[in-house]
Amino acid sequence: MPTLEKVFLFAGQRQRIIANNIANIDTPGYQGRDVDPRAFQKMLGDAVESRRSKTGGSFGDLELDSNGQVEMRGSQMILNPQTPTEGVLFHDRNQRDLERLMQQLVENASTFRVASDLMRQNTAQLNLAIAQRVL
């Protein structure tokens, strides 16, 4: 559950960043920003492995180490998006790539959906266990 919570936090904040990039796609001088989902996945994987080595993985806090783009302050996740260096810079100094933005939007939404499906399944299992125990 704590792992899914971190995925929700990341995907929700990244969705805002991507939406902002799409909203400003025609703004002269605007260069899109993003965070690297692979860096977050590695950070999350390291935190899960650390918890497994300390407690066996079934309980305990999930402590994420901060990197340059993702920072944890207590239970709050702060994303520090950076301007990607790839892509074509147009004459108005805008770095637009609508296809890539749409791909990022779909991938991020899919990540959020998978996490919510897993959370729903875990919650249903917990509710079933509680109901069985009450009987």
Side-chain angles (χ1 to χ4, degrees), residues 48-57:
V48 168
E49 286 301 317
S50 174
R51 186 174 76 172
R52 279 186 186 148
S53 67
K54 290 177 185 175
T55 66

Side-chain angles (χ1 to χ4, degrees), residues 1-84:
M1 294 282 229
T3 305
L4 295 174
E5 176 190 359
K6 303 297 187 218
V7 172
F8 279 135
L9 289 171
F10 179 81
Q13 289 189 29
R14 185 166 183 247
Q15 192 77 6
R16 283 188 218 102
I17 293 168
I18 295 169
N20 189 45
N21 289 342
I22 293 169
N24 288 295
I25 197 160
D26 288 331
T27 304
Y30 182 81
Q31 293 186 6
R33 302 172 61 118
D34 198 9
V35 291
D36 186 8
R38 292 178 302 244
F40 170 73
Q41 291 167 357
K42 180 177 180 346
M43 193 168 93
L44 188 63
D46 291 345
V48 168
E49 286 301 317
S50 174
R51 186 174 76 172
R52 279 186 186 148
S53 67
K54 290 177 185 175
T55 66
S58 58
F59 61 92
D61 290 334
L62 189 64
E63 298 174 11
L64 281 112
D65 294 328
S66 297
N67 65 19
Q69 295 183 6
V70 181
E71 183 180 338
M72 292 301 299
R73 291 187 189 156
S75 63
Q76 187 178 23
M77 181 180 290
I78 298 167
L79 299 185
N80 301 311
Q82 299 176 359
T83 302

Side-chain angles (χ1 to χ4, degrees), residues 69-115:
Q69 295 183 6
V70 181
E71 183 180 338
M72 292 301 299
R73 291 187 189 156
S75 63
Q76 187 178 23
M77 181 180 290
I78 298 167
L79 299 185
N80 301 311
Q82 299 176 359
T83 302
T85 56
E86 73 267 353
V88 175
L89 193 61
F90 287 82
H91 67 285
D92 62 357
R93 304 208 36 85
N94 188 321
Q95 190 177 6
R96 56 183 161 260
D97 187 350
L98 185 59
E99 290 82 15
R100 180 164 298 206
L101 287 173
M102 291 296 113
Q103 177 185 1
Q104 291 171 347
L105 188 71
V106 169
E107 287 174 354
N108 194 61
S110 296
T111 300
F112 191 88
R113 180 178 217 142
V114 167

